[in-house]
Amino acid sequence: MSLRYAILGYLSTAPGTGYDLSRQFDAGLGWFWSANHSQIYPELRRMTEAGLIDREPIKVTANLDKFTYSITPKGRDELRRWAASKPTYAPNRDSERLQLIFSDEAPENLRAHFEAHIAYFAFRRNQLAATLADMLGHKHPRVNLRLDRRRPDDAAVTLKLRELAYSGDIARAELEIEWAQRGLEWLDAKPAGVPTTQAWPPHEDHLDE
Amino acid sequence: MSLRYAILGYLSTAPGTGYDLSRQFDAGLGWFWSANHSQIYPELRRMTEAGLIDREPIKVTANLDKFTYSITPKGRDELRRWAASKPTYAPNRDSERLQLIFSDEAPENLRAHFEAHIAYFAFRRNQLAATLADMLGHKHPRVNLRLDRRRPDDAAVTLKLRELAYSGDIARAELEIEWAQRGLEWLDAKPAGVPTTQAWPPHEDHLDE
DNA sequence: GTCGGCATGTAAGCGGTTACATGATTGG
DNA sequence: CCAATCATGTAACCGCTTACATGCCGAC
């Protein structure tokens, strides 16, 4: 249940609304964790009930209320406890690789597969690189806020950790692009051979195995 | 719902039991998709009802029945249709990176974090490399079975796709190891400075923001 | 006035995890 | 005989997705 900690982490910089969180999960934070608003609002309620965050209504106009959430001491303790705990790794579920392995059953679309892979990771790489450049150039308002609230030594740690996280994911995206390009090069080099129009093995093979 | 296709893919080589699948998800297949037996058995029932696979009881002894499942023509068509479809990418959820980003709140355990990361990916790399070596050396029984049932040209495709998938994940594991080592080097180079025993910012900061 | 973005919520359903449950076989 | 492994299932719960639902605000 990392959603709770993603929220605590976000609010550990400064208070924010549910909508702020929802947008963050579509942008910056979303590279590492994502969630829909339908998941966020109930979780904010539970976290408020658990005393991890405080909810405060703010009158925007006569007819419109918003709610800001701020982290409580208990919430910050919980965030620190989690941050210091050993990382866990979810069981691998990579539908793209799975698909590739069994694409010997339908090799005619391999080119499109690799091209889609490149497009996906090129987009990711560009987004991550742009955000990282913003952070390092002190043009990222929320990261700036976090840095300003820390002693210089600690601020350097904050920035370095972001740099590590982002550059790690950028390197991973670049690796995936190069990997898919190797796939394309193999397709280019591979002699077309007899076009595999006939399904193989033939359907009858499923009998009496 | 890739579980269904992981099962179809496995059975597209040769028939197998629910228990076989369960073990595969803990081993080879498990590097790309995983599932518990409590998920597998109900899914096998649904797939049988949908006509994608056939269930056949096999008398092991007087008191023990097992069931083998084999892919049907309809199942193979469905597998091919899926294999030829565009790859999809699940929203990113990487609790390790999320944890790292907010570890400026609890930097005392960063060394353990990077070390755990290295241990995890070193294990993955070794397992993947061993399996890949088996496959390329034609020492992997089930992959051999798959290769034998294909025409030489197609068998080369089967093997190449496995090689791509495994080598891609091996490279990724090595990247993660190098990345974590850069983290450790940074920790080593970083002057210990004033030990950050005092929590910062102090708890009072959550008021009137 | 209507359209897109701001803003907050609920409900149904699905996929995955954890736990419960049972029994046979094999090897030490 | 006992433990580990083989083998198959069900039930409760949880987290996430998709869809439903409502209403305000500012810009054109």
Side-chain angles (χ1 to χ4, degrees):
Chain A
M1 208 208 346
S2 293
L3 171 60
R4 174 161 295 194
Y5 301 106
I7 292 175
L8 284 175
Y10 180 79
L11 296 178
S12 72
T13 300
T17 69
Y19 191 74
D20 289 338
L21 276 159
S22 173
R23 272 182 314 173
Q24 269 303 302
F25 281 124
D26 293 336
L29 251 190
W31 303 117
F32 306 107
W33 201 265
S34 76
N36 303 318
H37 77 273
S38 61
Q39 208 185 349
I40 293 168
Y41 290 113
E43 181 64 18
L44 285 170
R45 187 180 49 72
R46 284 189 292 266
M47 290 168 73
T48 306
E49 284 163 9
L52 301 172
I53 54 177
D54 282 335
R55 174 188 166 112
E56 211 175 327
I58 47 171
K59 267 266 176 295
V60 179
T61 66
N63 297 319
L64 180 62
D65 270 324
K66 304 202 304 183
F67 304 94
T68 40
Y69 296 90
S70 50
I71 195 165
T72 64
K74 189 177 172 190
R76 199 175 288 273
D77 283 346
E78 178 66 4
L79 176 64
R80 284 177 178 143
R81 192 198 54 70
W82 170 75
S85 69
K86 269 180 56 185
T88 59
Y89 297 87
N92 229 42
R93 287 207 178 80
D94 187 338
S95 68
E96 182 271 323
R97 290 281 202 275
L98 186 71
Q99 220 179 354
L100 190 81
I101 280 182
F102 294 121
S103 286
D104 57 348
E105 289 281 342
E108 67 276 8
N109 275 40
L110 278 170
R111 186 170 300 277
H113 182 106
F114 291 125
E115 281 165 357
H117 200 68
I118 290 170
Y120 174 74
F121 278 103
F123 180 75
R124 273 183 73 77
R125 178 201 52 195
N126 293 342
Q127 297 287 310
L128 287 161
T131 307
L132 177 58
D134 272 2
M135 289 189 319
L136 295 179
H138 294 274
K139 289 170 188 168
H140 190 301
R142 193 149 182 117
V143 173
N144 287 348
L145 205 56
R146 196 172 181 90
L147 296 172
D148 290 345
R149 296 166 143 261
R150 282 174 157 65
R151 291 176 297 198
D153 276 7
D154 292 346
V157 172
T158 295
L159 202 57
K160 182 69 188 179
L161 291 178
R162 301 272 169 157
E163 193 199 330
L164 268 172
Y166 277 77
S167 67
D169 276 23
I170 290 167
R172 198 258 163 124
E174 281 166 356
L175 186 79
E176 293 291 341
I177 292 167
E178 285 158 30
W179 173 84
Q181 273 160 355
R182 285 209 309 279
L184 287 176
E185 281 159 25
W186 163 67
L187 286 177
D188 289 337
K190 188 167 76 82
V194 183
T196 309
T197 49
Q198 282 302 312
W200 183 274
H203 278 155
E204 291 71 35
D205 79 331
H206 82 106
L207 299 170
D208 59 66
E209 291 194 277
Chain B
M1 210 209 340
S2 294
L3 171 61
R4 172 161 296 194
Y5 300 106
I7 293 175
L8 284 175
Y10 180 79
L11 296 179
S12 71
T13 299
T17 69
Y19 191 74
D20 288 339
L21 276 157
S22 173
R23 271 182 315 172
Q24 268 303 303
F25 281 124
D26 292 338
L29 250 191
W31 302 118
F32 305 107
W33 201 265
S34 75
N36 304 318
H37 78 272
S38 61
Q39 208 186 349
I40 292 168
Y41 291 112
E43 181 64 18
L44 285 171
R45 186 180 50 70
R46 284 189 291 266
M47 290 168 72
T48 306
E49 284 163 9
L52 301 172
I53 55 178
D54 283 334
R55 173 189 167 113
E56 211 175 329
I58 46 171
K59 267 265 174 296
V60 180
T61 66
N63 297 318
L64 181 62
D65 271 325
K66 304 203 303 184
F67 304 94
T68 40
Y69 295 89
S70 51
I71 195 166
T72 64
K74 189 178 173 189
R76 200 175 287 273
D77 284 346
E78 178 66 5
L79 176 64
R80 283 178 179 143
R81 192 198 54 72
W82 170 75
S85 69
K86 269 180 57 186
T88 58
Y89 298 87
N92 230 43
R93 288 205 177 82
D94 186 337
S95 68
E96 182 270 322
R97 290 281 200 276
L98 186 71
Q99 220 179 352
L100 189 81
I101 280 181
F102 294 120
S103 286
D104 57 348
E105 289 280 341
E108 66 276 9
N109 277 39
L110 277 171
R111 185 170 300 277
H113 182 105
F114 290 125
E115 282 165 357
H117 199 68
I118 289 171
Y120 174 73
F121 278 104
F123 179 74
R124 272 183 73 76
R125 180 200 50 196
N126 293 342
Q127 297 287 310
L128 287 162
T131 307
L132 177 59
D134 272 3
M135 289 189 317
L136 295 179
H138 293 274
K139 290 172 187 163
H140 190 301
R142 193 150 181 114
V143 173
N144 287 348
L145 205 58
R146 196 172 181 89
L147 295 173
D148 290 345
R149 298 167 140 262
R150 280 173 158 65
R151 290 175 298 197
D153 277 8
D154 291 346
V157 172
T158 295
L159 202 58
K160 182 67 189 182
L161 291 178
R162 300 272 169 157
E163 193 199 331
L164 267 172
Y166 278 77
S167 67
D169 275 23
I170 290 167
R172 198 258 164 121
E174 280 166 357
L175 186 79
E176 292 291 341
I177 292 168
E178 283 160 30
W179 172 86
Q181 273 161 353
R182 284 210 310 281
L184 287 175
E185 281 159 26
W186 163 67
L187 286 178
D188 289 337
K190 187 167 77 82
V194 183
T196 309
T197 49
Q198 283 302 311
W200 183 271
H203 279 153
E204 291 72 36
D205 79 332
H206 82 107
L207 300 169
D208 58 66
E209 295 193 273

